[in-house]
Amino acid sequence: AVVSTQSTGYLFHAHTLMSRNLHEIGAPFFNPSEGTTVFSAVSKGSGYWAGACSAVYDEHTNKFYLYHRARQPRPIRGGDCFISESEDGVHFRTIWHATKDELNTQSMEKACLIKTAEGKWNLYISYVDSDDQRWRIDLMQAPHPSEFKCSERRPVLSGSIAGTEGVKDPAVYVHKGKYYLYYTYAQQLGGDSSSLHSTGDAYNTPFITAPSGLAVSDDGLTFRVLGPALTPNKFRSGEEWDEFCTRICSVLQVGGLFYAFYDGSKDVSGNYEERTGLAVGLNPESFQRVSVSSPLLTSPYSSGSLRYLDALQCKGKTYYYYEFAEEDGSHSLKVVIR
């Protein structure tokens, strides 16, 4: 989940916003290899993932709630998703499970779990629409994270609504009564779009880029598309590490500034193996990258992927949940607490 905080855990200064040196702004470095594994992939090897996470701490129950999806190589892809609960934010037990068959989809991916001010629970989930093979985002609501029903989901955002070739990977941030929905969208680079969706994943083709878009809402149900929130470095030197994808995964507010952790990749070959970057904004509507020349965080193993970072602050600490490439090529879901 995307969290707002006034914590001074990061020593950010306004005059360093344009700095290319991450150390000058006290970026939140930690050693990803020291993370504790929360969930492992179902098997070893490339294409087996546990991650795409979203974390919430509920002060009413004094428990952590964590969404994640389990993925296997084609033809299965993203076949299962889970919500688990924990007292310590490290050791979780599953309380909800859904399969791709319940969504009538080829694959599902990241979701965002939040608790509203009214005490309801919202789960914004992305999956491939069986009608047009495009990624979309729907919403489920429930009184408790264990009670979501796929049959009661409602549409939130689709490619046709956003004017793109697909939308996925929602991250919802609530600020001053407004819901800010960040999502990655498939922006076509030109040509015929008919071949983009033949495999049910336009994002895994070289004919698009994957910027982050933003939609806003007063109630968390009906959203209005504002436009791009963070776009790839497509028109700089041509050698940028994030010129294909800039997917915002979580946002922190520190003082009057907003910091976005985002997934980046240079080209389509890194579509499944993104790495984490950092961007900053004076408001939650647009961001400018800080990690210009290289990622903020990577794995030392296999592809180097470290993605879907969700930073949750509670109890005076920061819980970093992230999907991490292991030596065998699989991805595990880890947490580091600082």
Side-chain angles (χ1 to χ4, degrees):
V2 189
V3 185
S4 171
T5 176
Q6 297 296 321
S7 170
T8 56
Y10 311 134
L11 303 179
F12 292 118
H13 301 282
H15 71 276
T16 62
L17 296 185
M18 299 301 293
S19 173
R20 290 173 180 250
N21 187 340
L22 290 175
H23 294 282
E24 290 181 14
I25 62 168
F29 287 102
F30 60 88
N31 184 351
S33 300
E34 296 179 353
T36 300
T37 299
V38 179
F39 291 106
S40 298
V42 297
S43 185
K44 296 181 179 180
S46 178
Y48 291 96
W49 312 330
C53 55
S54 176
V56 177
Y57 177 73
D58 182 17
E59 294 182 351
H60 179 71
T61 61
N62 295 318
K63 291 181 180 180
F64 294 81
Y65 296 93
L66 180 67
Y67 167 93
H68 83 281
R69 66 89 184 87
R71 196 258 194 192
Q72 301 181 53
R74 290 177 180 270
I76 296 177
R77 300 174 66 188
D80 297 88
C81 60
F82 307 85
I83 296 175
S84 305
E85 68 177 8
S86 168
E87 283 76 28
D88 61 6
V90 178
H91 304 93
F92 285 85
R93 56 189 170 274
T94 299
I95 60 172
W96 180 82
H97 170 222
T99 68
K100 68 177 186 179
D101 291 339
E102 293 177 70
L103 290 171
N104 188 29
T105 183
Q106 292 185 36
S107 186
M108 49 195 174
E109 189 67 2
K110 176 176 165 54
C112 184
L113 178 67
I114 69 168
K115 187 177 184 181
T116 69
E118 295 76 27
K120 295 181 180 179
W121 288 86
N122 288 2
L123 183 67
Y124 302 85
I125 189 167
S126 58
Y127 65 96
V128 178
D129 192 325
S130 60
D131 290 335
D132 63 6
Q133 307 305 306
R134 303 185 187 204
W135 285 93
R136 61 176 295 137
I137 298 169
D138 281 5
L139 167 66
M140 291 178 253
Q141 290 188 297
H144 187 268
S146 63
E147 300 179 40
F148 290 115
K149 297 180 180 179
C150 294
S151 60
E152 297 178 359
R153 67 188 185 276
R154 57 181 293 170
V156 169
L157 195 61
S158 65
S160 59
I161 294 174
T164 71
E165 294 299 325
V167 295
K168 66 190 289 280
D169 301 329
V172 178
Y173 169 64
V174 183
H175 178 65
K176 294 185 177 181
K178 286 189 177 295
Y179 294 76
Y180 292 81
L181 169 61
Y182 304 98
Y183 58 92
T184 178
Y185 61 94
Q187 178 173 292
Q188 189 178 355
L189 295 177
D192 182 12
S193 65
S194 60
S195 62
L196 283 176
H197 308 287
S198 59
T199 65
D201 193 2
Y203 292 82
N204 200 37
T205 74
F207 309 117
I208 63 105
T209 58
S212 282
L214 174 62
V216 297
S217 171
D218 293 323
D219 59 8
L221 304 176
T222 303
F223 286 83
R224 175 172 58 90
V225 174
L226 292 188
L230 184 67
T231 57
N233 259 335
K234 192 69 178 175
F235 304 107
R236 290 177 56 84
S237 68
E239 298 296 330
E240 311 306 327
W241 72 276
D242 57 355
E243 65 181 72
F244 178 76
C245 171
T246 49
R247 174 176 59 210
I248 293 176
C249 298
S250 62
V251 172
L252 291 171
Q253 182 184 357
V254 183
L257 301 177
F258 298 83
Y259 297 88
F261 296 100
Y262 71 94
D263 290 343
S265 61
K266 179 176 174 55
D267 53 40
V268 68
S269 67
N271 177 54
Y272 296 148
E273 306 291 342
E274 296 89 352
R275 297 169 292 167
T276 296
L278 179 68
V280 65
L282 297 175
N283 58 62
E285 295 188 5
S286 63
F287 297 88
Q288 187 163 0
R289 62 184 42 76
V290 176
S291 47
V292 176
S293 58
S294 62
L296 174 70
L297 293 168
T298 64
S299 166
Y301 305 122
S302 56
S303 67
S305 180
L306 192 159
R307 61 183 194 159
Y308 290 122
L309 188 149
D310 196 19
L312 171 65
Q313 289 202 330
C314 64
K315 298 184 176 182
K317 297 180 179 180
T318 304
Y319 293 71
Y320 297 98
Y321 296 92
Y322 53 95
E323 186 176 314
F324 178 84
E326 300 285 4
E327 291 184 75
D328 59 38
S330 67
H331 293 186
S332 62
L333 174 52
K334 292 183 178 292
V335 63
V336 166
I337 304 172
R338 288 290 182 266

